[in-house]
Amino acid sequence: MQKLLAPGAPDPAQKDGLAHALRARQAPRSPGEPHGSRPEPASAREMEAALLSRCASVARQAPPIANDPREAHVFRLAAMLIQFQFPCESRRLASASAQYFTDHPDDGPMAPDAVVRRGWVSHLPRLRSMLALELGSPARRGPRLLEQGVSEVARRYSTSAGIQAMPSNFLFHTQTALANGLRELFKQLAERLSLSRPMNVYLAGGMAVHLYTGNRVTTDVDAEFGSRVLIPGDLIVEVALEDGRPVPIYFDTNYNPTFALMHEDYLGDAIALDWGLEQIKLHVLSPVDLAVSKIARFADNDKEDIAALVGLGLTTADAIEQRATSAIGGYVGGLAMLRLNLRDAVALARGMEGCKPPNGAKPRAP
């Protein structure tokens, strides 16, 4: 894989780390030192590339070491961002960060938004995507859902902790740590934007699946806004999950529903969620539209999301097939692969319809 290290950037394996390399660039020239004998001062892009390469290097090898406060704080943030996609690499980064803070107690860990405001990280979605690109394909968490068979998928989701059968008049899971963090994120957004009138927001992606299932964990928020807004880059809420793991919750400013398979009525059919936020009118994509939105990409987590929604009785294979077929006319992209994904998604959903809820599980009260 091609390295993202810019020409002239510090060697990521250099013992003294990024700070030493940058100090060497910025030190005054000695008398008689010829011009051009050393690199020019590092640009912001070079510094970003060097730090990214350091993250990737530490993530791949043990024992990891953070050399300065900037590395320690960025390693900690990077570990939170990739913990579900690259769990082993995440643990190494977290270990490097924790060891630094143990050795330097006066430099205690900062909140993620403070790291961004310091300028050490410019954009969380960018850091996550570039680091994932640098690390390559994530370690597989197990056989792909369709390879292991529909019966195995059904078994996994019928026995998953915390998942119960839900009636048609369901309740959203709004009391989880992730949901509380999401509400705080929207609250801070309204305050930062100084909204003078209510704004419609439509929630999609993994966070929407979490509100339906209480089981999906994600850090980025896929949201579509009813008005033009500029999301502050340092708008981040850190929460501790029920198992104690810290996660940063932030808006994925790269989210664009145009690239997903969406029915023309997906906004009108979204379900309102009253969170008591005066200026934010939140709507969650309906279960069937949420499932349909997963078909174009159809990665492993998309398959898991479809399985969970169908396994809970929130949508059906027939509903997904009809909705998706109706939406194909407005899809922007290759139709051949889309139709194959749709076929597999419907097959997965049909298998999940035979899934039984856990023994003794009762529907949530309306």
Side-chain angles (χ1 to χ4, degrees):
M1 173 178 291
Q2 183 179 1
K3 295 290 184 182
L4 297 179
L5 189 64
D11 182 357
Q14 185 172 345
K15 181 179 178 181
D16 291 333
L18 177 64
H20 176 88
L22 296 180
R23 284 195 297 270
R25 284 172 170 265
Q26 296 163 359
R29 286 187 172 84
S30 58
E33 181 179 356
H35 182 75
S37 60
R38 67 169 65 184
E40 292 300 315
S43 67
R45 183 56 58 87
E46 286 180 312
M47 293 172 66
E48 177 193 56
L51 187 55
L52 174 69
S53 193
R54 274 286 292 154
C55 283
S57 176
V58 169
R60 293 191 186 103
Q61 62 188 17
I65 299 172
N67 294 298
D68 52 49
R70 172 177 174 162
E71 284 192 359
H73 286 100
V74 174
F75 287 176
R76 177 177 181 269
L77 183 53
M80 290 191 284
L81 290 174
I82 66 170
Q83 61 184 301
F84 306 111
Q85 189 179 13
F86 299 91
C88 294
E89 292 85 349
S90 171
R91 285 193 291 271
R92 294 190 189 108
L93 285 165
S95 176
S97 174
Q99 185 60 54
Y100 181 89
F101 294 132
T102 298
D103 296 340
H104 304 82
D106 292 339
D107 289 334
M110 295 179 183
D113 56 340
V115 177
V116 174
R117 284 196 292 270
R118 284 284 186 101
W120 291 344
V121 172
S122 62
H123 193 220
L124 261 61
R126 176 181 173 85
L127 174 62
R128 186 188 64 176
S129 61
M130 293 185 70
L131 186 53
L133 194 65
E134 184 81 359
L135 292 174
S137 299
R140 291 174 65 147
R141 293 170 292 179
R144 293 173 66 89
L145 293 183
L146 294 180
E147 292 173 359
Q148 63 185 347
V150 169
S151 60
E152 173 61 16
V153 178
R155 185 197 65 78
R156 284 180 55 189
Y157 283 95
S158 64
T159 58
S160 295
I163 291 186
Q164 297 178 323
M166 297 176 71
S168 58
N169 52 345
F170 60 86
L171 295 176
F172 286 111
H173 293 261
T174 58
Q175 298 305 315
T176 65
L178 209 58
N180 288 331
L182 177 64
R183 184 185 185 281
E184 179 61 25
L185 186 73
F186 279 118
K187 179 182 176 183
Q188 292 189 22
L189 175 67
E191 294 171 353
R192 295 281 294 273
L193 297 180
S194 301
L195 296 176
S196 59
R197 63 178 183 271
M199 177 176 63
N200 288 316
V201 181
Y202 300 89
L203 186 67
M207 199 65 76
V209 175
H210 177 81
L211 291 179
Y212 282 120
T213 68
N215 201 45
R216 171 77 142 90
V217 179
T218 187
T219 60
D220 59 323
V221 178
D222 295 336
E224 184 175 354
F225 297 88
S227 305
R228 293 178 63 88
V229 296
L230 179 62
I231 303 296
D234 62 347
L235 181 54
I236 308 164
V237 172
E238 182 178 339
V239 300
L241 298 179
E242 282 75 10
D243 61 6
R245 285 181 295 173
V247 296
I249 302 177
Y250 59 94
F251 289 105
D252 184 355
T253 52
N254 296 323
Y255 172 68
N256 188 340
T258 303
F259 301 118
L261 180 63
M262 294 290 200
H263 190 273
E264 60 182 355
D265 295 328
Y266 77 97
L267 295 180
D269 291 340
I271 301 171
L273 172 55
D274 184 2
W275 247 341
L277 301 175
E278 184 177 354
Q279 304 299 349
I280 298 289
K281 301 303 180 185
L282 183 61
H283 309 264
V284 184
L285 260 62
S286 69
V288 66
D289 281 321
L290 196 51
V292 168
S293 73
K294 301 285 182 176
I295 293 174
R297 187 178 63 172
F298 209 48
D300 281 356
N301 61 321
D302 298 312
K303 299 170 188 176
E304 293 169 359
D305 290 342
I306 293 172
L309 292 170
V310 176
L312 289 172
L314 297 175
T315 188
T316 67
D318 285 344
I320 293 172
E321 185 173 29
Q322 293 169 11
R323 192 74 161 178
T325 301
S326 178
I328 284 179
Y331 179 68
V332 178
L335 292 181
M337 181 58 69
L338 181 68
R339 292 185 187 279
L340 291 175
N341 288 352
L342 173 56
R343 179 201 64 189
D344 291 344
V346 172
L348 175 60
R350 292 202 191 286
M352 289 304 302
E353 287 176 337
C355 173
K356 300 291 186 182
N359 292 333
K362 297 181 180 179
R364 292 164 56 88

